[in-house]
Amino acid sequence: MSTAEGRAQAQAPELIRTKRDGGELGQADIAWLIDGYTRGAVADEQMAAMAMAIFFRGLEPAELRAWTDAMIASGQRLDLSSVPLPTVDKHSTGGVGDKVSLILAPLVASCGAAVPQLSGRGLGHTGGTLDKLEAVPGWRAGLSAGEFLATLSKVGCVIAAAGSDLAPADRKLYALRDVTGTVESIPLIASSIMSKKIAEGTGALVLDVKVGSGAFMRELDRARALARTMVRLGQESGVRTTALLTAMDAPLGRAVGNAVEVAESIDTLRGAGPADLVEVTLALAREMLALAGIDAEPAQALADGRALAKYRQMIAAQGGDPDAPLPEAPHVQLVRAEDGGYLRRLDALAVGVAAWRLGAGRARKEDQVSPGAGVICLAKPGEKVSAGQPLLELRADDPVRFAGALDALAGGIEVGPDQPDSRPVVIERIG
Ligand code: URA
């Protein structure tokens, strides 16, 4: 046994007991624990016990600060000081049909800010930005740090895969939390997200914290608590940070999948986007521009084609062909309304799981996604529908997938005689 392993066997249980019994960990202990875990000196079972103790006991603000700093220090922090424009990024906690990044990055860049976005792939029922963009023929997510910086400086926006040296402690810890029932802890979620965003080097950050059935946070109170915790962490690290709480009870926009979401993003950049998607995107763009100190109206950049031109430039800079036809799944099945009335509910989780089962998402990190599979919502909650009218179009590469998607949708669609109250898409701002 090495000296480091010997020390870990003695020291880690002591720290776990401290947290288990409601005590407070010191900054040096936290730095030691996270560094030891990243290097393999602290064992998975020790970190799993610590994550469970934190799940029940939480972290005090000073502990959370130290935990986040230690996760950032486990890898490289990008230096964006050579970028000649104010940098500002957005992070979404993930939702069904959430294609906002594809529109927002070029939109905000077309108004004069630089948007450096390191993104992830989808796992489970919410899609990943990289999977969506990879539906564009030729587009590449893997950029070196040099390519990332050069694209950001030249185009003004870049969306790429986070490298393995960005907060490596989080990569290991998130995988461990996933299999130990410790994902749903506000301090662990907040430090996980914010360590990656702070390490990315952005000067400002807007968080889109989704609330509702298709979101990570189903209840408003917990979403608000997560948003407040992340905003505080960002501000304490010198990253100007605000958050919007936005609705995720129904899919955002009408398309859920990969190529279908790219197509809807292009429609939105052409000024023909669905109202809820446009509203969330413009609200986030206004927040980002305000944090970047830029006085511009993003609706204008959508209307006059500047944002679309910037999107085409962003795609081409990463090898993509913005004019190439997008992949289409060959098999289509319609889901029709059983009765007439108003569409009262189109459950985001049900549609997200249906799209996932059609092939648009992955169950394991190693799985491939189908670029053409997904769901098109032909009607949205609040709209009047007649009996037999198509509500959803399901698309798949293989028709055997339709049965699983239809099972996921059972109970997720409600048509009734009364029009539902319209609910705000942007619920609250935390700043
Ligand atoms: N997303 C992250 O990056 N980390 C979490 O812990 C949860 C969601």
Side-chain angles (χ1 to χ4, degrees), residues 91 93 170 174 177 183 185 188-190 192-193 196 216:
H91 175 82
T93 54
D170 177 64
Y174 196 13
R177 288 166 53 214
V183 167
S185 149
L188 291 178
I189 298 170
S192 164
I193 292 174
K196 289 175 284 201
F216 207 46

Side-chain angles (χ1 to χ4, degrees), residues 345-376:
R345 197 165 68 85
L346 180 59
D347 184 65
L349 179 62
V351 177
V353 174
W356 176 26
R357 292 186 180 172
L358 289 168
R362 56 170 70 74
R364 291 169 309 144
K365 283 208 293 292
E366 311 69 52
D367 294 348
Q368 295 290 319
V369 301
S370 156
V375 179
I376 307 292

Side-chain angles (χ1 to χ4, degrees), residues 46 57 61 71 95 145 153 239 305 326 345:
Q46 293 176 313
R57 294 291 189 176
M71 304 251 281
S153 297
V239 178
L326 292 165
R345 197 165 68 85

Side-chain angles (χ1 to χ4, degrees), residues 22-365:
E24 194 168 331
L25 303 172
Q27 188 262 333
D29 289 332
I30 290 173
W32 172 84
L33 184 77
I34 298 226
D35 177 57
Y37 181 57
T38 312
R39 287 184 298 100
V42 171
D44 274 346
E45 57 270 25
Q46 293 176 313
M47 202 51 156
M50 178 59 90
M52 190 57 86
I54 293 172
F55 181 91
F56 284 113
R57 294 291 189 176
L59 288 175
E60 293 300 320
E63 294 178 294
L64 180 59
R65 169 81 271 132
W67 191 276
T68 309
D69 286 347
M71 304 251 281
I72 297 168
S74 70
Q76 297 291 318
R77 194 168 172 165
L78 275 181
D79 177 5
L80 303 182
S81 59
S82 62
V83 179
L85 297 169
T87 53
V88 57
D89 191 11
K90 184 257 335 184
H91 175 82
S92 162
T93 54
V96 177
D98 184 0
K99 71 239 359 130
V100 167
S101 289
L102 279 62
I103 310 156
L104 189 64
L107 171 60
V108 171
S110 73
C111 294
V115 184
Q117 189 155 108
L118 288 173
S119 234
R121 290 177 197 283
L123 191 62
H125 74 277
T126 62
T129 297
L130 302 182
D131 295 320
K132 294 171 196 181
L133 282 170
E134 277 173 347
V136 178
W139 187 84
R140 243 174 0 106
L143 300 185
S144 67
E147 287 175 314
F148 183 80
L149 262 179
T151 311
L152 182 62
S153 297
K154 185 164 156 244
V155 180
C157 53
V158 54
I159 299 178
S164 56
D165 52 356
L166 191 95
D170 177 64
R171 198 169 286 243
K172 215 175 155 188
L173 182 56
Y174 196 13
L176 183 75
R177 288 166 53 214
D178 201 27
V179 293
T180 56
T182 50
V183 167
E184 301 87 349
S185 149
I186 286 179
L188 291 178
I189 298 170
S191 54
S192 164
I193 292 174
M194 293 306 290
S195 61
K196 289 175 284 201
K197 285 289 151 184
I198 296 166
E200 175 191 273
T202 185
L205 176 67
V206 176
L207 299 159
D208 180 5
V209 179
K210 302 273 180 213
V211 194
S213 76
F216 207 46
M217 291 283 147
R218 286 158 184 245
E219 299 102 35
L220 185 58
D221 284 356
R222 274 181 63 76
R224 191 182 282 128
L226 176 64
R228 287 192 175 139
T229 308
M230 292 196 290
V231 166
R232 199 180 56 232
L233 276 176
Q235 286 171 348
E236 284 171 359
S237 291
V239 178
R240 297 181 303 286
T241 309
T242 60
L244 296 183
L245 304 185
T246 68
M248 188 32 71
D249 292 305
L252 189 60
R254 292 182 181 268
V256 182
N258 297 306
V260 290
E261 292 200 36
V262 174
E264 186 169 64
S265 302
I266 296 170
D267 288 346
T268 307
L269 287 159
R270 289 204 170 109
D276 57 346
L277 177 60
V278 173
E279 187 180 337
V280 171
T281 307
L282 287 178
L284 290 164
R286 290 186 185 114
E287 282 292 319
M288 289 170 76
L289 291 167
L291 287 180
I294 293 172
D295 182 15
E297 175 43 55
Q300 191 60 43
L302 268 190
D304 64 20
R306 269 179 295 150
L308 177 63
K310 187 59 76 180
Y311 166 84
R312 293 173 59 83
Q313 209 186 338
M314 173 180 89
I315 293 296
Q318 289 174 240
D321 178 356
D323 295 314
L326 292 165
E328 277 181 35
H331 299 279
V332 170
Q333 175 151 343
L334 296 175
V335 176
R336 296 177 186 275
E338 285 174 12
D339 306 301
Y342 288 94
L343 181 58
R344 294 185 54 81
R345 197 165 68 85
L346 180 59
D347 184 65
L349 179 62
V351 177
V353 174
W356 176 26
R357 292 186 180 172
L358 289 168
R362 56 170 70 74
R364 291 169 309 144
K365 283 208 293 292

